Amino acid sequence: MTEPPQPPNQPPTPSGYGHLPGPPQQGYGFPPPSENPYAQQPGHPPQPPTVQQHAGHGYPPPPPGGGPGATPKKKRAVLIAAAVAAALVLGGVGYVAFSGDDKDAKPTAQEPTDAKPSVAPSVAKGDGNGDAGPQQADLNAGRKQGEDKVLWLKSVKIDGPGMGVDSAGQWVVGDTVVKTVWKNLNGYSITDGKEKWTLPFPALICSVAAQATPEGRLAVMYRDGEGENTTCNQLRVVDLKTGKEVWSKEVPQEGLFDIFTSPTLAMTGDTVAVSRGGTASAFRISNGDKLFANPRGEGCHPDSYEAGNGKMIALVTCTDEEANTEVHGVDPVTGAKAWAFRLPAKFKVTSIYSVNPAVLDIGNEQEKKRAIVVLGPDGKQTATVTGEGSFAVGCGDAGIIRALSTCPTSVVDGNTLYMPTAAATGTANEIVAFDLTTGKAKWRTPAGDKRTLTPLKAVDGQLIAYRKAAESEQGGEVVSIPAAGGAPTALLRHPSGPAAPIEYAFYNPRMDYVDGRFFISVNHLRAQDVEEKLLMVFGK
């Protein structure tokens, strides 16, 4: 197969071929209904892409394997392609499934104490003023030795539109965990789930930043009115510690073709960038002052920004015959270009695993080629990640709406990329650690026991991961894996019994582990005037 032509001064490009994923399906599939009302989540009609918190090119990403523990074939992606010495033929690499005992992942047995979780009030009709909520069963009833506790379960009751409402995002700031719920931003106490504050928005929340600033500020976008013929162009910065607005403004149009299609938000330092449908602009988080803008234009122009670890990069689309794509390192205050990396002809960015260092998944759909490239501080390619297996990328390229967004299901820490492999239903997956200096796999840790592992974060030389149960009668686990590799150690072992089916039924959830507590929440609510689970918290 003919290799694509090389851009000037660039290392060899990816080789091999395989399936390049198209737009992920937007249906919300859930486990079969059970007798527990909080475990039931019947499927509902597809939701238009409003809140694009982790969207890759305008679509919400599939979780690893379509969600921990379930892997629809259409959402699997054969991902890793070799670029330099040993090219891998991706189409011939089978799905990697691992099994084995999990004795090393079990915590030391302990006697259950203080078993009954706090009951969080429910929100009626999404107004943020909850009543006492329904009487919940004791979610820790029958806890076994060695199992930890459900601290609380938050439910909501909303009578909304037929297609349901979004509840994207989850932010833990100090003693508060924050969720979007339709037109509200709600803050709950991390200890008992009681509502601390509610900030209503004038209209539908349509985009949120993935991460808050270290000071606890968050950028949120909402529509300029009710109804179908409205625009997602209103920007507000909120202090998540107090639930108070810092400032709000309408994002001005940058040219005639600025239509605010599926806007995404990226924050770093004192900058928030608003990217939408080929146009972007940036503002100061502290006061809303405009910093720079990039309207559509001829030549090569930045049209989407992503930030992380103190840096910002831009996706640059060129209007030449080849429709080339570049990635630029940019100054987040001025938007000035610091470096440029031109992708091979017909290649485009399909996923981003990290901004600093820049770790990009690039692909050529026509030639079925794909690779993960690592860029140095000057934008030059330093390595290509290579390895065997089928990997759950967690995000992808929708093709039409070009936007950057960091994948939520892979973690980069220092010079290591941690990725989960995909797993068919009923089989275990594994986490693979790649050395970003060489691009080679350093170690693999299997989930075992038909479970699935999803990386969450890297903290103090440890990778923190969620180990989802294989069956709805089992509880999940939070485990740590040494950065050098080794057997997982259980940090939390979630209870079986009535809590397990509720935990198991979270589909494509938001997850975090902070100060010994595990937070898991939904991204979408059916909003049919019945109690639904929103947020569940586990701890000691």
Side-chain angles (χ1 to χ4, degrees), residues 344-397:
K346 306 299 184 183
F347 273 69
K348 54 187 174 181
V349 176
T350 59
S351 300
I352 295 180
Y353 304 110
S354 173
V355 172
N356 183 23
V359 184
L360 313 173
D361 185 332
I362 65 174
N364 180 329
E365 183 175 9
Q366 293 179 348
E367 299 186 16
K368 306 303 179 186
K369 295 181 179 180
R370 191 165 205 164
I372 295 177
V373 296
V374 183
L375 307 183
D378 57 359
K380 296 185 183 300
Q381 183 176 338
T382 60
T384 303
V385 175
T386 62
E388 296 183 1
S390 172
F391 289 82
V393 297
C395 55
D397 169 34

Side-chain angles (χ1 to χ4, degrees), residues 136-494:
Q136 297 181 358
D138 182 358
L139 298 180
N140 291 310
R143 254 193 327 149
K144 300 175 183 177
Q145 279 195 336
E147 293 182 344
D148 295 303
K149 299 181 296 183
V150 177
L151 299 181
W152 50 272
L153 170 66
K154 174 67 182 178
S155 64
V156 292
K157 183 180 180 182
I158 296 174
D159 187 8
M163 297 179 72
V165 299
D166 283 323
S167 182
Q170 175 184 281
W171 306 270
V172 181
V173 178
D175 60 358
T176 305
V177 55
V178 181
K179 282 288 295 179
T180 62
V181 181
W182 197 12
K183 302 175 185 178
N184 293 339
L185 199 61
N186 295 346
Y188 307 104
S189 167
I190 62 172
T191 57
D192 57 16
K194 292 182 179 178
E195 188 174 285
K196 298 182 67 176
W197 54 260
T198 293
L199 180 63
F201 283 71
L204 181 71
I205 294 174
C206 48
S207 184
V208 294
Q211 302 293 334
T213 68
E215 299 77 26
R217 291 188 171 185
L218 179 74
V220 180
M221 294 194 72
Y222 57 99
R223 293 193 168 274
D224 60 0
E226 302 286 353
E228 296 181 359
N229 298 319
T230 58
T231 301
C232 182
N233 64 356
Q234 304 296 307
L235 178 62
R236 176 182 288 183
V237 168
V238 179
D239 185 338
L240 298 185
K241 294 180 179 179
T242 63
K244 304 295 185 182
E245 174 185 323
V246 179
W247 56 263
S248 61
K249 67 185 302 179
E250 180 174 318
V251 179
Q253 279 189 302
E254 303 294 340
L256 295 176
F257 300 102
D258 189 0
I259 57 175
F260 290 86
T261 303
S262 300
T264 60
L265 296 168
M267 300 195 304
T268 186
D270 194 29
T271 298
V272 54
V274 182
S275 307
R276 67 274 184 184
T279 303
S281 48
F283 306 88
R284 290 192 185 277
I285 295 173
S286 56
N287 58 20
D289 288 350
K290 185 176 178 179
L291 294 172
F292 59 87
N294 289 300
R296 289 175 180 265
E298 297 298 322
C300 298
H301 66 281
D303 56 19
S304 181
Y305 293 84
E306 179 60 310
N309 201 16
K311 298 292 184 180
M312 180 172 281
I313 60 175
L315 177 66
V316 178
T317 303
C318 300
T319 56
D320 53 25
E321 292 183 0
E322 297 296 326
N324 286 310
T325 297
E326 296 180 352
V327 175
H328 291 179
V330 297
D331 184 322
V333 177
T334 65
K337 179 175 64 175
W339 51 260
F341 171 75
R342 171 161 285 204
L343 277 63
K346 306 299 184 183
F347 273 69
K348 54 187 174 181
V349 176
T350 59
S351 300
I352 295 180
Y353 304 110
S354 173
V355 172
N356 183 23
V359 184
L360 313 173
D361 185 332
I362 65 174
N364 180 329
E365 183 175 9
Q366 293 179 348
E367 299 186 16
K368 306 303 179 186
K369 295 181 179 180
R370 191 165 205 164
I372 295 177
V373 296
V374 183
L375 307 183
D378 57 359
K380 296 185 183 300
Q381 183 176 338
T382 60
T384 303
V385 175
T386 62
E388 296 183 1
S390 172
F391 289 82
V393 297
C395 55
D397 169 34
I400 299 175
I401 302 169
R402 303 180 63 78
L404 293 184
S405 185
T406 306
C407 290
T409 57
S410 297
V411 170
V412 172
D413 182 50
N415 69 340
T416 304
L417 165 65
Y418 302 97
M419 296 188 70
T421 62
T425 302
T427 62
N429 78 332
E430 62 178 353
I431 289 177
V432 183
F434 293 96
D435 187 331
L436 295 179
T437 303
T438 65
K440 305 298 182 183
K442 297 198 294 186
W443 50 259
R444 296 170 179 259
T445 294
D449 195 27
K450 299 181 180 180
R451 297 187 178 221
T452 52
L453 281 167
T454 302
L456 298 177
K457 62 173 63 175
V459 179
D460 298 331
Q462 302 281 321
L463 175 69
I464 309 299
Y466 176 59
R467 189 169 179 258
K468 185 178 174 72
E471 300 174 350
S472 61
E473 292 78 16
Q474 299 174 318
E477 293 178 337
V478 178
V479 301
S480 66
I481 305 170
T489 300
L491 302 175
L492 288 177
R493 187 182 176 200
H494 304 163

